[in-house]
Amino acid sequence: MKKRILGLVMAVIMIAGMFVGCGKSNGDKIVLNVAYMPNYGSLWAIENAIEQGYLAEEGIEVVLTEFQDGPTIIAAMESGTIDVGYIGQGAHKLCINGRASIFALSHISNGDALIGGPGIKKVEDLKGKKVAYSSGTSSEDILVNSLKKAGMTMNDIQAFDMDASAIVTAMLSGGVDACATWSPNSLKILEELDGATKLTDNMTFADETVSLASWIVMPKYAEENREVLVKFTRALFKAMDYAAKDHQDETAALIAKQIAQDKDGVYNQRGDANWLTGKEVAAGAADGTVEGYYELQKQTFVNAGAVEKDPVPAVSDYVLLDLMIEAGKY
């Protein structure tokens, strides 16, 4: 009798352990707290994963929480309030430095831009000017890369570190002369500020680096909840198959409702990236293409002095390529 009771207790412990760290259990469903940013790139896959029922098929329910940038999302994950999250290019340096693991490539981005205000037509015109940016994000990356390409550094400008929303206000009010930011803020500034000029974007550096957007998780969470991540990623991949080439109008409507913005404005963000299908990501993870993307990205951060780890980690140390491959088997 004692053995039977012990067996039942152990079974309960094992079942409970399956859900440690993965949000919480809601009946038979797994509930995940998911961080996003209010733009097309962040939400195009997850919104379709919800709407088309792909997450429900995997027994997953998500609670979406909005953030303004990747470093803040990682901080929330470290505090335990967020299970998985989306990041843009800039926050990937934190993954290389061991703060988070990447479990799915979302897309190749072209949503970042360095924008000059009236009278500023080229990067060289920024010398001595007030330039707004957000440190630790893709905003800082494109600013530094643009200055470097023009033979300049941050010391050649008056740099003002601001959050994303403050950058828009500062540009439209004339508080700064230029800014580095991402979509949809870049689109809003270019549309509403007379005389604004896009000086550079991600494609300016296409021969030197690649700008990636990814889904991330805490390393410990990944170790303890691999099957949950496979299920979540499989749902994402199916949603990416659905939305990458078609259904962009429908996707824009879903996103606009989530972030309470105008649908046409969201739809205008559809040109911000090379939208990959889930099948393409899984195949790329298997044949080395995806690893090559992250290697090129890593070398850019190394060259910029943004990688603190010594020796520099291999891509496979922080990118879960095998999980992408497994999730792609559907």
Side-chain angles (χ1 to χ4, degrees), residues 156-297:
D156 293 310
I157 64 173
Q158 297 182 59
F160 290 84
D161 190 357
M162 304 179 180
D163 66 35
S165 58
I167 287 176
V168 176
T169 301
M171 275 296 285
L172 296 182
S173 67
V176 294
D177 303 298
C179 72
T181 188
W182 54 81
S183 181
N185 296 335
S186 54
L187 297 177
K188 180 179 178 66
I189 293 166
L190 289 167
E191 179 181 345
E192 298 186 12
L193 180 61
D194 289 339
T197 301
K198 183 194 289 188
L199 305 176
T200 62
D201 59 21
N202 301 110
M203 296 310 295
T204 305
F205 311 99
D207 59 336
E208 304 168 20
T209 188
V210 61
S211 182
L212 304 176
S214 304
W215 286 91
I216 63 167
V217 67
M218 291 289 98
K220 184 181 179 189
Y221 184 102
E223 291 176 7
E224 297 176 349
N225 300 282
R226 179 182 173 85
E227 188 55 36
V228 172
L229 289 178
V230 170
K231 290 173 178 287
F232 181 80
T233 305
R234 185 162 52 225
L236 279 182
F237 281 178
K238 290 178 181 179
M240 290 161 68
D241 291 343
Y242 180 83
K245 314 302 180 187
D246 301 304
H247 308 290
Q248 292 180 332
D249 186 77
E250 175 187 337
T251 299
L254 292 172
I255 295 169
K257 182 178 179 181
Q258 173 65 33
I259 63 178
Q261 291 185 12
D262 176 67
K263 180 205 157 188
D264 290 341
V266 175
Y267 184 68
N268 288 339
Q269 299 170 38
R270 70 194 185 282
D272 287 349
N274 175 12
W275 309 110
L276 302 169
T277 66
K279 289 293 188 185
E280 287 172 333
V281 173
D287 68 18
T289 301
V290 170
E291 184 174 10
Y293 290 152
Y294 284 109
E295 181 65 35
L296 180 57
Q297 179 195 59

